[in-house]
Amino acid sequence: QKEVEQDPGPLSVPEGAIVSLNCTYSNSAFQYFMWYRQYSRKGPELLMYTYSSGNKEDGRFTAQVDKSSKYISLFIRDSQPSDSATYLCATTISSGSARQLTFGSGTQLTVLP
Amino acid sequence: EPEVTQTPSHQVTQMGQEVILRCVPISNHLYFYWYRQILGQKVEFLVSFYNNEISEKSEIFDDQFSVERPDGSNFTLKIRSTKLEDSAMYFCASRREGQTEAFFGQGTRLTVV
């Protein structure tokens, strides 16, 4: 079983739509959750970071974590063509100093004008 | 805004040659990482580095790989004898002590021919 599973898409939506991106994970030791945005052939750019179950909002972005079902989501409101990118979920364990990230495979999003 | 910088952006090398990928982490960060992304695949953890030593490494990080912090600002990844399968994007990342979120550079695209 993969540690972090993410629907690769591709996902195509019209401008202004609400986008829902999702990941599941298998390891209960994962306690920190991040969403990164990656443009083609560029480095991952940190969008959201959360630790607790529940919602965290930042502008048009909302990260949601449900630790009981091991499910994490990213919602994008009023999506824009500039949001077109690959979105990566990532997680890490709470103990240990290294805190290396385990990534999902990424969901490719296209927002059509 | 501080950022992680990587050089070169693209490196082409012949199989069997040694390559050194260079990174300048964000200045007040103490944890440094190398990740790899083979085209079309997940971002994978290679190694973490703290206090001038490796703190964690993955199965990918075998004897052909080494890391070094040769001075107060640079962090390097050396691949001693490159193989065709080493062709990938290599990302450097760093984070502050006490925080979990890591910030990535734009990557070095390594092509082994």
Side-chain angles (χ1 to χ4, degrees):
Chain A
Q1 183 182 16
K2 294 179 183 176
E3 287 198 290
V4 180
E5 302 220 34
Q6 185 175 6
D7 185 345
L11 180 63
S12 185
V13 301
E15 184 174 354
I18 296 174
V19 176
S20 172
L21 304 166
N22 308 296
C23 287
T24 59
Y25 62 96
S26 57
N27 189 347
S28 298
F30 289 143
Q31 295 291 319
Y32 297 91
F33 306 94
M34 278 141 277
W35 284 96
Y36 286 85
R37 177 173 61 194
Q38 186 178 30
Y39 294 110
S40 181
R41 296 185 180 269
K42 298 292 184 185
E45 173 194 4
L46 181 66
L47 283 177
M48 302 282 291
Y49 158 72
T50 185
Y51 171 74
S52 306
S53 278
N55 294 350
K56 181 177 181 179
E57 193 172 312
D58 184 1
R60 296 185 295 110
F61 298 91
T62 300
Q64 187 176 80
V65 175
D66 183 345
K67 290 185 178 180
S68 62
S69 58
K70 299 188 181 68
Y71 196 85
I72 57 177
S73 301
L74 179 71
F75 299 96
I76 307 174
R77 288 183 300 282
D78 187 25
S79 55
Q80 303 294 309
S82 57
D83 294 328
S84 299
T86 297
Y87 288 80
L88 310 173
C89 62
T91 182
T92 188
I93 62 174
S94 58
S95 61
S97 63
R99 297 195 181 171
Q100 66 269 29
L101 299 175
T102 299
F103 282 87
S105 55
T107 300
Q108 187 181 343
L109 171 68
T110 301
V111 180
L112 302 169
Chain B
E1 187 173 321
E3 58 182 18
V4 177
T5 56
Q6 291 186 243
T7 55
S9 56
H10 187 198
Q11 172 111 31
V12 181
T13 188
Q14 290 204 323
M15 192 168 54
Q17 294 297 302
E18 174 182 288
V19 294
I20 297 176
L21 310 182
R22 302 180 192 279
C23 169
V24 179
I26 295 173
S27 63
N28 61 351
H29 288 191
L30 299 180
Y31 289 83
F32 314 125
Y33 305 85
W34 285 101
Y35 289 82
R36 177 181 84 175
Q37 187 176 32
I38 294 171
L39 186 64
Q41 297 188 24
K42 284 187 180 187
V43 177
E44 301 174 288
F45 167 73
L46 292 178
V47 66
S48 62
F49 193 85
Y50 172 72
N51 199 25
N52 282 321
E53 60 183 23
I54 290 172
S55 50
E56 291 283 347
K57 60 182 181 179
S58 71
E59 294 175 350
I60 304 168
F61 194 86
D62 61 22
D63 292 344
Q64 71 160 341
F65 291 94
S66 62
V67 290
E68 192 178 34
R69 186 151 166 85
D71 53 44
S73 59
N74 290 284
F75 179 51
T76 62
L77 175 69
K78 183 191 291 185
I79 309 175
R80 261 181 273 283
S81 178
T82 50
K83 299 180 269 208
L84 294 176
E85 54 264 38
D86 293 328
S87 295
M89 287 288 287
Y90 287 82
F91 296 110
C92 175
S94 68
R95 69 171 175 91
R96 291 175 65 175
E97 186 154 28
Q99 293 186 341
T100 300
E101 58 270 40
F103 295 87
F104 284 72
Q106 291 301 297
T108 293
R109 182 156 62 105
L110 177 65
T111 303
V112 182
V113 297

